[in-house]
Amino acid sequence: MTVGEMLVATVPMARTLNLEFLETTAERAVVRLPDQAEYHNHVGGPHAGAMFTLAESASGAIVIAAFGDQMSRAVPLAVKAEIGYKKLALGEVTATATLGRPIAEVVAQLDAGERPEFPVAIEIRRADGAVTGEMTVVWTLRPNS
């Protein structure tokens, strides 16, 4: 099962919004929100809540791809998120997430008994390539013990 398939199977909001996980690697996660009238806002584009969920889902996908081998000893949790809506989004939108710290550095903190935090940066783009939003989600790996 791919990271995207796993997230769609286990995260109800990902299924509800029909998110499409296009790429999920430790370097990058790309997730698309199809254009769906039932999730439009008052100006005919995707609702801000749908775009937040899209971006947060992309951040979760990269976290699972990057730290999936650590899941037996730690749980990934979102600590905080900040989003900025830059331009009107219309039609389908795609979120691209990248890690803000090297994987080895985060794992070294976990190895040292610490609870590492790390940012994930996400860009939301329209089909024409224009950036409609930017989001940062700070994640942690909470040790199981």
Side-chain angles (χ1 to χ4, degrees), residues 97-118:
T98 55
L99 284 176
R101 286 182 60 199
I103 294 169
E105 186 179 286
V106 174
V107 172
Q109 272 192 278
L110 190 60
D111 290 342
E114 298 175 28
R115 183 174 169 169
E117 289 190 0
F118 52 94

Side-chain angles (χ1 to χ4, degrees), residues 13 72 89 104 110:
M13 275 302 287
S72 63
L110 190 60

Side-chain angles (χ1 to χ4, degrees), residues 8-47:
V8 168
T10 60
V11 179
M13 275 302 287
R15 283 193 311 276
T16 298
L17 291 178
N18 301 305
L19 297 181
E20 301 168 2
F21 291 81
L22 306 178
E23 179 182 341
T24 52
T25 68
E27 290 76 38
R28 189 170 98 133
V30 181
V31 183
R32 180 173 46 221
L33 173 66
D35 186 23
Q36 302 165 89
E38 60 270 30
Y39 302 116
H40 281 179
N41 58 21
H42 62 290
V43 293
H47 188 277

Side-chain angles (χ1 to χ4, degrees), residues 4 43 74 79 86 90 95-96 106 108 123 136 141:
V43 293
V79 175
K86 306 295 183 186
L90 294 171
T96 302
V106 174
E123 281 191 338
T136 300
L141 295 179

Side-chain angles (χ1 to χ4, degrees), residues 26-92:
E27 290 76 38
R28 189 170 98 133
V30 181
V31 183
R32 180 173 46 221
L33 173 66
D35 186 23
Q36 302 165 89
E38 60 270 30
Y39 302 116
H40 281 179
N41 58 21
H42 62 290
V43 293
H47 188 277
M51 288 193 295
F52 183 99
T53 300
L54 167 69
E56 194 276 341
S57 297
S59 77
I62 199 168
V63 168
I64 297 297
F67 302 107
D69 61 341
Q70 303 300 317
M71 297 304 144
S72 63
R73 66 181 184 143
V75 176
L77 298 170
V79 175
K80 63 183 174 180
E82 184 175 341
I83 191 166
Y85 301 100
K86 306 295 183 186
K87 289 186 178 186
L88 183 62
L90 294 171
E92 73 176 33

